[in-house]
Amino acid sequence: MAFHIATFLIGSVIGAAIVAASAGLHYAWLGAWLGAVLWFGLDAWRAQQLLKVLRNDGSGLPSRGAGVWGEIAERVRKLLRAREQQTRQAEDRLQEFLAAIQASPNGVVLLDEQGRIEWCNQTAASQFGIDPERDLLQHLSNLVRDPAFVAYLASWNYSRDVVIDAPSQIHGQRAHPVRLSVQVHPYAGNRRMLLTRDITSLEQAEAMRRDFVANVSHEIRTPLTVLAGFVETLQNLPLDAEERARYLGLMGQQAHRMETLVNDLLTLSRLEGSAAPPANRWTRVRALLAQCEDEGRGLSNRLSLQGHKLSFVLEADSEIAGAPTELQSAMSNLVSNAIRYTPGGGEVAVTWRILPDGRGEYAVRDSGPGIAAEHVPRLTERFYRIDRSRSRETGGTGLGLAIVKHVAQRHGAELRIESVVGKGSRFVLLFPVTRLRQAAVLSAAA
C-alpha cells in the first residue's frame, strides 16, 4: 500500500513539473490532477485485467508485477496452486477408495433418493447381473425383480438383511444362481447403500453339515437299535447256551460296526485338521502292499466261504513320501471295498507300477457288478452308497472312499474310477513324481 501511495505522489509531482515547465507555476495543480487521473486509469485497467483472469478460473495469471495488483495476483496464484494440489490429492484418495471397494469380495451399490444406481462395484454388478455403465441411473428394483428384494427395498425397514437368489454373471455370461445376503444402510438423507454378500458356499456347507449329522445319526441308530433289541431279549427270555451265543455274536458284530464307523469318522477329522504330510518321510511300497494283502485275505475269508481270487503284484520297488498311516489307510480301503462288493469266487487284482512319465500307479481291479456312470462322480461323498443293504451286510461305513480322496489330495495324488456295469471296476491312485523314489535311485544312493 505504501508503494502504491508513493507511486501516486511521484506521478502527481511529475505531472505538475511537466505542466509547470510549460505553463508556469499557476497551472501546477492542474498537472498534478492530470497525473492522478492517468494513474487511476492505469490502475483501473490493471484491476480489470486481473478480474478478467479470475473470471476464467484463474488460468493465465500474469507473473508478479509491481504494485498492489501484482501482489494480489501472486497471492491468488499461490492460493490456486494450493487448491489444485488439494483437489488432486482428494481425487487420488477417492480413486484409492474406489479401488479398495472394487477389490472387496462383497458387493456395494449406491442409490440416490429415487432408488437409481449412482455407482456399484464389479462384484455387485456380477452378483446382480447388471452392467455398471449401461445401467447407471436405472432403478435397481427394475433390474432385480426378486419379490422379496423389491419389497425389502421399498419397506425402508432395514433392521435385518434379506436373502435372495440372483443370476450372477461371469465374463458377461449368465452363470448359476447364487444366494445373496443383502443389507441396506441409509445415508445422506434418503440415499441408500446396499451391501451384498455371496452366501452360496455357506449355505451349501450348512446343508452338508446337516446331511452329515443326519447320516451319522442314522448309521449309529441302526446298530444301537439292534443291540438294544438283543439286550432286551437276553434280559427277558430264557435262552439256551447256543441261542445266547448266537445273539452275543450278533451283538458283537453291531458293536464292531459302530467302532469301525467311529474310527472312520476320527480318521476323516484327523485328515481335515492335521498338518500337511511330510515330504521327506519315505515308506516302502512293498511294505504297504504286504499289509494290504494280509488285511485283504483275512477280510475275504470272513465274508465268503469260497473266498476270492486275490493277486498282489509289485512291478517296481519304490518308496512314497508322506504319512505311512494315511497311505496305508487309503490303499487298504480300496482293497477292502473291492473285496466287499465282489461276490465270492470273484477276482481282485492289486498292482503297483511306475508309468512312463515317472508317476506311480496303485490300481485295484475287481470283477464285481460294476458301477453305473451316474453314481461314479458321487462315490467319494460321505455315506454315499449305491446299495445300502449290501454295504451294511458287508460291514461298510460309507466313508472309505471319502478317506481315500482326502489322503490322495494331501499327497498330491489323483483318484481315478473306471467302471462298467457287469464287468467290474478299477480304482487307481496316481502319485506325482515328486513323491516317489524309484528302485534304481535307491540302489545308487546305497
Side-chain angles (χ1 to χ4, degrees):
M1 188 65 183
F3 177 79
H4 182 75
I5 296 174
T7 305
F8 168 72
L9 293 177
I10 293 172
S12 300
V13 171
I14 293 174
I18 294 172
V19 174
S22 60
L25 295 176
H26 182 68
Y27 296 99
W29 63 271
L30 183 59
W33 281 109
L34 180 59
V37 170
L38 291 174
W39 173 256
F40 277 115
L42 178 62
D43 201 46
W45 177 81
R46 294 178 61 188
Q48 185 66 28
Q49 293 298 315
L50 179 60
L51 183 60
K52 182 179 178 181
V53 172
L54 293 177
R55 286 173 178 171
N56 294 328
D57 296 331
S59 57
L61 275 173
S63 59
R64 180 169 183 173
V68 174
W69 298 117
E71 184 177 352
I72 291 176
E74 181 63 23
R75 292 184 179 273
V76 169
R77 185 185 297 106
K78 290 182 179 180
L79 291 175
L80 290 177
R81 281 201 300 264
R83 187 187 68 176
E84 291 175 357
Q85 184 177 2
Q86 292 174 355
T87 302
R88 285 195 300 269
Q89 292 175 352
E91 290 178 351
D92 292 341
R93 286 195 296 269
L94 176 61
Q95 293 302 320
E96 292 173 358
F97 178 73
L98 293 178
I101 298 180
Q102 284 287 7
S104 171
N106 297 329
V108 180
V109 183
L110 302 181
L111 303 180
D112 62 9
E113 293 87 345
Q114 287 76 36
R116 297 176 300 184
I117 301 174
E118 287 187 323
W119 184 87
C120 70
N121 65 352
Q122 192 59 46
T123 303
S126 175
Q127 291 172 345
F128 284 128
I130 61 179
D131 191 311
E133 296 181 1
R134 181 196 62 200
D135 297 326
L136 201 63
L137 298 181
Q138 297 293 321
H139 287 275
L140 183 60
S141 57
N142 293 337
L143 302 175
V144 183
R145 304 305 298 271
D146 188 285
F149 174 75
V150 174
Y152 173 72
L153 193 61
S155 67
W156 287 93
N157 180 16
Y158 306 134
S159 58
R160 57 175 181 84
D161 60 353
V162 63
V163 178
I164 65 173
D165 292 318
S168 65
Q169 282 188 341
I170 299 179
H171 304 300
Q173 297 181 352
R174 295 285 179 175
H176 295 291
V178 297
R179 296 281 287 175
L180 293 181
S181 172
V182 183
Q183 178 74 58
V184 177
H185 299 274
Y187 76 100
N190 291 331
R191 280 184 166 84
R192 285 164 289 182
M193 177 177 64
L194 274 72
L195 301 179
T196 64
R197 183 166 57 100
D198 188 351
I199 60 173
T200 306
S201 58
L202 293 178
E203 291 201 347
Q204 290 175 349
E206 180 63 21
M208 291 177 61
R209 186 194 65 81
R210 290 194 299 266
D211 293 342
F212 178 74
V213 172
N215 285 325
V216 170
S217 302
H218 178 74
E219 294 294 332
I220 293 179
R221 184 186 299 115
T222 301
L224 281 177
T225 302
V226 175
L227 281 174
F230 285 149
V231 170
E232 184 178 357
T233 300
L234 293 173
Q235 289 176 338
N236 298 327
L237 295 179
L239 302 175
D240 56 29
E242 183 178 354
E243 290 179 331
R244 181 180 293 275
R246 184 170 68 87
Y247 283 166
L248 290 176
L250 294 174
M251 292 172 65
Q253 291 179 3
Q254 297 301 322
H256 177 71
R257 177 181 168 187
M258 284 194 297
E259 181 183 7
T260 303
L261 176 62
V262 171
N263 289 335
D264 285 350
L265 288 173
L266 291 175
T267 299
L268 275 176
S269 176
R270 184 174 64 253
L271 290 175
E272 292 177 346
S274 61
N280 56 356
R281 185 177 180 183
W282 299 90
T283 304
R284 289 286 291 269
V285 177
R286 183 184 299 275
L288 296 174
L289 212 61
Q291 188 169 346
C292 288
E293 183 174 0
D294 291 341
E295 295 176 359
R297 295 191 183 280
L299 178 62
S300 176
N301 294 332
R302 290 197 303 269
L303 294 179
S304 175
L305 295 177
Q306 54 185 337
H308 299 81
K309 299 176 182 178
L310 303 179
S311 64
F312 294 82
V313 178
L314 181 69
E315 296 185 4
D317 194 6
S318 311
E319 287 192 345
I320 303 179
T325 54
E326 296 182 16
L327 295 170
Q328 186 65 61
S329 176
M331 293 180 173
S332 296
N333 266 301
L334 291 182
V335 175
S336 62
N337 279 349
I339 295 174
R340 291 178 194 278
Y341 290 98
T342 300
E347 180 184 355
V348 175
V350 182
T351 59
W352 168 265
R353 62 174 181 152
I354 300 298
L355 299 179
D357 59 5
R359 291 182 298 171
E361 181 190 80
Y362 174 79
V364 179
R365 179 180 55 83
D366 63 65
S367 61
I371 304 168
E374 63 268 18
H375 295 294
V376 172
R378 301 191 59 188
L379 288 179
T380 56
E381 295 181 10
R382 299 177 182 183
F383 298 109
Y384 184 81
R385 294 188 178 95
I386 301 172
D387 186 348
R388 290 184 176 272
S389 60
R390 171 68 177 165
S391 179
R392 291 196 178 97
E393 289 174 2
T394 57
T397 63
L399 297 174
L401 288 179
I403 293 175
V404 174
K405 181 188 72 172
H406 277 74
V407 173
Q409 290 175 344
R410 286 168 55 81
H411 289 78
E414 178 186 357
L415 173 62
R416 292 183 180 179
I417 304 174
E418 306 166 359
S419 185
V420 178
V421 176
K423 296 185 178 181
S425 305
R426 185 170 183 265
F427 292 80
V428 178
L429 280 175
L430 290 175
F431 291 90
V433 179
T434 55
R435 288 274 178 178
L436 299 178
R437 291 198 307 195
Q438 300 182 24
V441 177
L442 293 176
S443 300

